Amino acid sequence: MLRQAEPSVLRHEDPSKKTKSLSFSRKGSMGGRFYHNDEFKESLLEAATIDIMVFRFQCSYLDFLAPAGPRAGTNSTLRFMDQQLIMESLNAAFSRKCIKSLDICFDNARISQAGFQAKKSVNEDKTVFLESQLGLIVALFDGHHSDELADYASKTLPPLLLERIQKTLFEKGCTLDEAVVTSFIQGIEEYDRWLIQGVIDEFPQKDQTDWSDPFWEDEREVFSVLGWLKEHPKFQRARYAVVGTTALIAFIDRAKENVWVASLGDSDAFLGQKREDGVNWEVTCLSDYHNGQNPDELERVQREHPGEPQVIQYGRILSCLAVTRALGNHQLKTPYHFAKNILRFIWPSPFPMEVLDNCTTPPYISATAVVRRHSLKLGDILVLSSDGLAYELRNFDEDNKKNLIISFSMNSNVDSFPENASWSEKLGHQYILAQDGDNPAERVIKNVCFGTDLEKMAEAVNPSEEWDDISVLVLQL
């Protein structure tokens, strides 16, 4: 299995717990140039990214010109390259931008993870799973403005939630359902408050500080408390509070009888289950959209901020943030003077002063998760995916989208959905069939983005326009 960055394994005091998360480190790029067949293949296999100019000729993506070779119409063997060679080269280039892992755990459950980095310096998505004697947590965090909080939360929040569930069961003697729901909602809210409280506690008077005092308008006073460099531990801790991330967290009990999904933001969680006929599948959405596309969320935000028509503009909070619920983003959650005089100096600030000047009745972003529960059975498939995948499927309705994602995550090529035949036409390309030993999460990303279309794959590897990161986690029970 090809891995460009080994997923990090978090180790806790409880040896029965195992965590594996995905992170990505970008390598350099190769300058554009044309190669003879052998040189071309060798260079693509060694480079971290490739210049896909050779795939963008108007005549055909198979029409290549050597540095001193003749134009089309001759018998030159350099004019056409073997399609299999192109596919191998593009797959190698794709693998350098897509970190993945495949693990067997949780009593023979299969967990595949894949994260495809878009046209950014770093992948802002993080996926993780954490197993304990109580059950299994799988989670996806989609960062915005940076990957800092997504990375930090992926390593620290799942173990805290597992510990809280265990503690709630022991202290309250409640059912597992009550313990999970309470722990998810309260635990996530407390985690988010802890992010900003850690910043406040660095100041001498802590919560008693007068943030409106002109003394704090001098950025040097802020830096003297939180550090002058971005690498300073106190400054980095403040960064976790300033940037943001969505959170999609699922807990499966040890008996594999139920799954609970807590959602903040706009990532997707889909559960696929075989119907009683043993052939066809039923797919259920277990997440909520907390963004400007959800009328209920827009109504909630406007209800909480009456008389503020600017609270929702262009389908975004204060015209700048797409999600309505998230971890972090405390410039939109804390009192005005604290956000203006302290947090805006935690550079680079995600929000300009003209946005902060409109923050008169915070919080504008919620950290209250919505939790859904669903029963499970052997053979079920749970898929978590970031909104980058949903964007690529924007021409699909919700039913087709969830069915397609579950179908692409299966290990067999049985047509289990009646609409399967129309998907290639809607996608604009043929999709890749499942193979023994492949990575289902990676297969989902490939099939949604380009399938067997080499020209689309070339664009994905080296995009000419902005893409969002795409991450997928597939749990096969």
Side-chain angles (χ1 to χ4, degrees), residues 29-49:
S29 62
M30 181 178 85
R33 146 174 202 217
F34 295 96
Y35 295 89
H36 294 265
N37 287 18
D38 292 340
E39 184 184 3
F40 183 80
K41 180 176 181 179
E42 179 181 356
S43 298
L44 292 189
L45 292 174
E46 292 178 355
T49 60

Side-chain angles (χ1 to χ4, degrees), residues 78-283:
L78 297 177
R79 181 172 182 263
F80 291 105
M81 296 180 63
D82 180 76
Q83 189 166 347
Q84 183 61 36
L85 169 63
I86 298 173
M87 176 67 79
E88 291 176 3
S89 301
L90 284 173
N91 274 322
F94 176 84
S95 294
R96 293 183 176 91
K97 299 191 72 173
C98 183
I99 182 170
K100 58 188 177 181
S101 72
L102 185 60
D103 297 272
I104 306 296
C105 69
F106 198 50
D107 300 330
N108 211 34
R110 194 168 182 248
I111 299 178
S112 60
Q113 303 176 83
F116 179 61
Q117 181 182 345
K119 199 173 183 179
K120 300 178 182 179
S121 61
V122 65
N123 190 336
E124 295 178 351
D125 296 350
K126 308 296 173 184
T127 60
V128 65
F129 72 87
L130 173 60
E131 182 180 4
S132 76
Q133 294 178 348
L134 191 63
L136 175 74
I137 276 186
V138 293
L140 186 152
F141 299 86
D142 182 355
H144 40 268
H145 306 123
S146 91
D147 70 322
E148 292 160 288
L149 182 54
D151 183 61
Y152 183 69
S154 70
K155 297 174 180 176
T156 56
L157 183 54
L160 289 175
L161 293 176
L162 273 178
E163 292 169 7
R164 191 180 185 104
I165 294 170
Q166 184 69 58
K167 183 178 179 181
T168 302
L169 281 171
F170 178 76
E171 293 182 351
K172 295 187 176 181
C174 58
T175 64
L176 181 59
D177 179 59
E178 293 172 325
V180 174
V181 173
T182 300
S183 298
F184 269 6
I185 294 176
Q186 295 182 1
I188 291 172
E189 288 178 335
E190 289 184 11
Y191 182 85
D192 190 61
R193 286 194 297 270
W194 173 76
L195 290 174
I196 192 62
Q197 192 61 48
V199 180
I200 295 172
D201 288 346
E202 295 295 343
F203 291 82
Q205 293 180 292
K206 298 181 171 38
D207 289 296
Q208 304 305 312
T209 305
D210 180 5
W211 307 115
S212 64
D213 190 327
F215 175 81
W216 296 114
E217 294 179 5
D218 185 344
E219 62 186 37
R220 292 172 298 181
E221 301 300 336
V222 178
F223 294 150
S224 68
V225 175
L226 298 178
W228 290 86
L229 299 175
K230 188 176 180 180
E231 294 76 20
H232 193 287
K234 293 181 181 179
F235 193 92
Q236 183 59 66
R237 173 68 186 274
R239 287 288 297 167
Y240 299 146
V242 169
V243 300
T245 184
T246 67
L248 187 62
I249 306 170
F251 172 76
I252 299 94
D253 63 302
R254 175 55 67 178
K256 301 179 186 177
E257 295 177 346
N258 292 282
V259 58
W260 292 261
V261 177
S263 54
L264 281 176
D266 51 8
S267 296
D268 287 311
F270 298 126
L271 177 66
Q273 297 181 306
K274 271 191 178 180
R275 293 175 176 170
E276 292 183 359
D277 61 14
V279 177
N280 295 305
W281 286 68
E282 181 76 25
V283 182

